[in-house]
Amino acid sequence: MAVQCSSSSVMLASHSPAKTFSSSPNKTLFLGFSISSKPSIVVAKTHRATQICCQEKTALVPLEQRWMFEDSEINGPDIWNETWYPKGADHVNTDKPWYIVDATDKILGRLASTIAIHIRGKNLATYTPSVDMGAFVIVVNAEKVAVSGKKRNQKLYRRHSGRPGGMTVETFDQLQQRIPERILEHAVRGMLPKGRLGRQLFNHLKVYEGPDHPHDAQKPIELPIRDKRIQKQR
């Protein structure tokens, strides 16, 4: 038996009469492979072989939904059930904007939430929860970030070495004097997704002590802040 397989036709040696049928989903035909529900298979009989042709069909508007369409669109393709999803060209890192913000006298939590929104891209109309659509954010003067109330002496940061009794606890004031960048990084990291996407988004945050940063080539612009309560009142 000679078999010729291609995307459009399959040749089988047979003498059965001509038939036309459509394959159903999750069913395996006698050919040994599955065919989706879209293409229709036409079997044409010849004196030596049987030719099976797969013809693609366009998804039409369902009968129960045709009342929503105009008369000229009833028999056309279903143009409403097309959900947009960003492609690779829509979130290239080299095309993303860069923002810069001065953390001097800004409330830690409100500043971190604003930064997390722009890193995730929630301020964009093209926001997609599972795709990195956000921007890069540069924070300078991280050692001058402020907190409200008595958090400077009551807010605690814990880390563990992994050994028994290796817990180390320090206050906000102590960590700010030792590694001021870690305070803002810790706050923003907790507002990002947990997993591979969150680890990728965390790389978009650049925190520096002092007013200088090495990202002048990216031409960062000022981070838009709409919350007026973010600035600590003296």
Side-chain angles (χ1 to χ4, degrees):
M1 178 178 64
V3 179
Q4 179 184 356
C5 297
S6 65
S7 60
S8 59
S9 64
V10 179
M11 297 293 297
L12 297 175
S14 174
H15 299 284
S16 58
K19 296 181 180 180
T20 302
F21 57 93
S22 297
S23 60
S24 58
N26 302 327
K27 289 187 178 181
T28 303
L29 302 180
F30 65 92
L31 300 177
F33 55 87
S34 300
I35 300 179
S36 61
S37 58
K38 288 185 178 180
S40 63
I41 301 177
V42 180
V43 181
K45 179 183 176 184
T46 60
H47 65 284
R48 290 186 179 181
T50 300
Q51 183 177 6
I52 300 179
C53 301
C54 296
Q55 301 175 352
E56 294 289 341
K57 288 186 177 181
T58 305
L60 300 179
V61 179
L63 293 177
E64 63 274 8
Q65 298 180 7
R66 292 189 178 182
W67 62 272
M68 298 183 293
F69 292 80
E70 300 291 340
D71 294 339
S72 60
E73 300 175 347
I74 289 179
N75 297 325
D78 189 359
I79 60 175
W80 283 15
N81 296 329
E82 294 184 359
T83 302
W84 180 85
Y85 193 82
K87 305 297 188 299
D90 298 326
H91 53 92
V92 181
N93 283 339
T94 55
D95 298 335
K96 293 180 179 180
W98 284 68
Y99 296 103
I100 184 171
V101 58
D102 188 355
T104 303
D105 293 335
K106 287 184 171 57
I107 301 299
L108 173 62
R110 299 185 185 277
L111 177 61
S113 62
T114 304
I115 293 173
I117 287 174
H118 286 79
I119 289 180
R120 288 222 66 191
K122 285 189 173 184
N123 59 313
L124 303 175
T126 57
Y127 166 70
T128 306
S130 59
V131 180
D132 175 12
M133 301 294 294
F136 291 82
V137 179
I138 306 169
V139 183
V140 296
N141 294 322
E143 74 281 1
K144 299 180 182 179
V145 69
V147 289
S148 59
K150 300 180 181 179
K151 297 185 182 70
R152 183 167 296 275
N153 297 321
Q154 293 182 355
K155 184 175 178 62
L156 302 178
Y157 290 89
R158 297 176 176 87
R159 67 181 189 276
H160 203 286
S161 64
R163 296 177 176 274
M167 175 74 74
T168 302
V169 182
E170 55 186 345
T171 63
F172 176 90
D173 193 27
Q174 293 172 347
L175 183 59
Q176 191 175 37
Q177 295 177 8
R178 191 170 63 92
I179 309 176
E181 300 92 340
R182 185 168 297 177
I183 293 177
L184 198 54
E185 291 175 351
H186 181 272
V188 175
R189 184 192 292 270
M191 300 179 184
L192 296 178
K194 311 305 183 288
R196 291 185 298 176
L197 179 60
R199 292 190 293 269
Q200 180 182 354
L201 291 172
F202 183 71
N203 293 328
H204 293 190
L205 176 64
K206 315 295 182 181
V207 185
Y208 298 100
E209 179 182 5
D212 301 328
H213 64 87
H215 303 288
D216 292 332
Q218 280 69 35
K219 299 179 180 179
I221 60 178
E222 193 69 24
L223 180 70
I225 299 176
R226 302 174 60 182
D227 190 359
K228 298 181 179 179
R229 298 171 298 176
I230 195 172
Q231 192 73 27
K232 186 176 181 180
Q233 303 297 329
R234 291 294 183 179

